[in-house]
């Protein structure tokens, strides 16, 4: 089994925890704005230019400031998570190449000794594909695109994949939590972070995942 370095993986997991913490804080500050029935851009003064007396202006200003700061922190953190995921997958790919080279050498040794040649390890294969991505959905927000081929979805990959119910279990158990997702798009690997959650549409993802052998219509 190919396993990236514990340090790299742990660092990414810690960053994801920080991301979830920041998202929770943003949500809490957002509740303050909701309680005052204002958003991030609504005016805090009345027509005469005086502070509105129907809201807690001081509280709203504080919440807005916190949200802006937290959103900036979240943006920076997302870049670190993306870089970390690239590192983890790069280490995995390097280990796969090393294992493949070792397998070939062993096969050559066996063949030269008159034994039967071992077949090299099969390349990583996609486990499912995306045939629908809804506008404004968590999937679209995460960067998932139509016809993406899913290589890894959380802990599910080609090494342990049996059927789509495994992905459904990950989605349900990780509601409002970050899930690392790796897809193959136009022959290239793309690392994403998806957060299953309730939105204005159906389900927690807003995309349709089907088996690789499913016929597109």
């Amino acid at each position: 089994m190919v396993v990236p370095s514990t340090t790299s993986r742990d660092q990414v997991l810690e960053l994801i925890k920080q991301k979830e913490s920041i998202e929770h804080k943003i949500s809490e500050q957002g509740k303050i704005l909701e309680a005052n029935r204002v958003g991030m851009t609504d005016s805090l003064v009345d027509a005469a230019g005086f502070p509105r007396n129907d809201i807690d202006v001081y509280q709203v200003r504080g919440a807005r400031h916190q949200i802006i700061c937290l959103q900036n922190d979240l943006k920076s953190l997302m870049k670190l998570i993306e870089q970390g995921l690239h590192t983890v997958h790069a280490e995995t790919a390097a280990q796969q190449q090393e294992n493949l080279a070792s397998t070939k050498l062993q096969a050559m040794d066996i063949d030269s000794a008159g034994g039967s040649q071992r077949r090299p390890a099969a390349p990583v294969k996609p486990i499912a594909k995306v045939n629908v991505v809804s506008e404004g959905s968590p999937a679209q927000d995460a960067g998932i695109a139509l016809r993406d081929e899913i290589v890894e979805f959380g802990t599910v990959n080609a090494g342990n994949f049996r059927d789509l119910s495994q992905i459904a279990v990950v989605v349900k158990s990780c509601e409002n939590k970050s899930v690392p997702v790796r897809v193959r798009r136009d022959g290239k690997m793309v690392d994403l972070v998806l957060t299953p959650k309730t939105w204005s549409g159906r389900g927690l993802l807003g995309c349709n995942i089907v088996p690789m052998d499913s016929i597109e219509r």
Side-chain angles (χ1 to χ4, degrees), residues 3 27 71 92:
V3 181
S27 176
Q71 286 176 336
T92 300

Side-chain angles (χ1 to χ4, degrees), residues 19-190:
K19 169 183 174 292
E20 293 171 354
S21 175
I22 290 176
E23 289 174 335
H24 176 71
K25 291 177 181 178
I26 291 175
S27 176
E28 290 300 308
Q29 294 300 318
K31 290 178 182 178
I32 294 176
L33 300 185
E34 291 177 5
N36 284 275
R37 297 183 179 180
V38 295
M40 290 293 292
T41 59
D42 293 302
S43 177
L44 303 185
V45 297
D46 58 24
F50 293 101
R52 289 171 54 178
N53 58 14
D54 61 325
I55 61 175
D56 187 330
V57 175
Y58 178 80
Q59 189 181 48
V60 169
R61 282 177 175 168
R64 285 180 173 179
H65 176 72
Q66 286 296 318
I67 289 174
I68 291 172
C69 292
L70 289 168
Q71 286 176 336
N72 289 334
D73 291 343
L74 183 60
K75 185 177 180 180
S76 299
L77 196 59
M78 288 300 294
K79 290 182 179 179
L80 292 176
I81 291 174
E82 183 178 358
Q83 292 171 0
L85 287 172
H86 279 301
T87 299
V88 170
H89 288 302
E91 290 176 354
T92 300
Q95 186 62 51
Q96 287 175 334
Q97 291 298 321
E98 182 179 335
N99 290 348
L100 181 58
S102 177
T103 300
K104 288 181 177 179
L105 287 174
Q106 291 176 10
M108 291 173 63
D109 290 341
I110 293 174
D111 189 50
S112 62
S116 59
Q117 185 173 356
R118 291 177 59 187
R119 299 177 65 182
V124 175
K125 295 182 179 179
I127 57 178
K129 60 185 178 181
V130 179
N131 68 353
V132 174
V133 179
S134 299
E135 187 76 21
S137 66
Q140 186 185 57
D141 291 343
I144 290 178
L146 184 66
R147 289 185 288 277
D148 274 353
E149 297 176 344
I150 298 174
V151 175
E152 295 179 16
F153 195 101
T155 57
V156 183
N157 54 48
N160 57 22
F161 179 73
R162 296 186 304 277
D163 54 53
L164 294 180
S165 65
Q166 293 170 272
I167 293 179
V169 170
V170 173
V171 171
K172 187 174 182 180
S173 63
C174 293
E175 183 174 357
N176 296 317
K177 297 180 181 179
S178 300
V179 179
V181 177
R182 194 177 204 201
V183 302
R184 185 169 68 185
R185 181 182 301 163
D186 299 326
K188 298 180 180 180
M189 294 299 179
V190 180

